[in-house]
Amino acid sequence: MSDNKTVKVTLVKSTIGRLPAHKACVSGLGLRKMHQTVSVIDTPENRGMINKVSYLLKVEEA
């Protein structure tokens, strides 16, 4: 599959005081700092993590 679709994900709210599972999802997406943007491959696994912490993220289809 050479045409992997990606999603741009930006952390817009802090993970301080969040559930450990939600912090794990944010770090699993590769986000470390506020307002950091990363591109992740659009897989069901990544979509699940994005949906779980959607209240912390801004998501753009790329």
Side-chain angles (χ1 to χ4, degrees):
M1 290 172 62
S2 61
D3 56 357
N4 287 332
K5 295 196 193 280
T6 61
V7 179
K8 284 175 63 175
V9 184
T10 306
L11 186 62
V12 295
K13 283 191 175 184
S14 175
T15 57
I16 295 172
R18 306 296 177 193
L19 294 171
H22 291 197
K23 288 184 182 184
C25 286
V26 170
S27 65
L29 290 167
L31 295 164
R32 297 179 183 181
K33 298 180 177 181
M34 288 281 298
H35 306 292
Q36 179 185 6
T37 302
V38 296
S39 292
V40 295
I41 298 171
D42 194 5
T43 62
E45 295 82 5
N46 286 338
R47 275 290 170 181
M49 288 193 283
I50 290 168
N51 289 338
K52 191 168 194 175
V53 293
S54 60
Y55 66 99
L56 300 173
L57 306 174
K58 182 177 85 173
V59 182
E60 301 170 30
E61 304 292 329

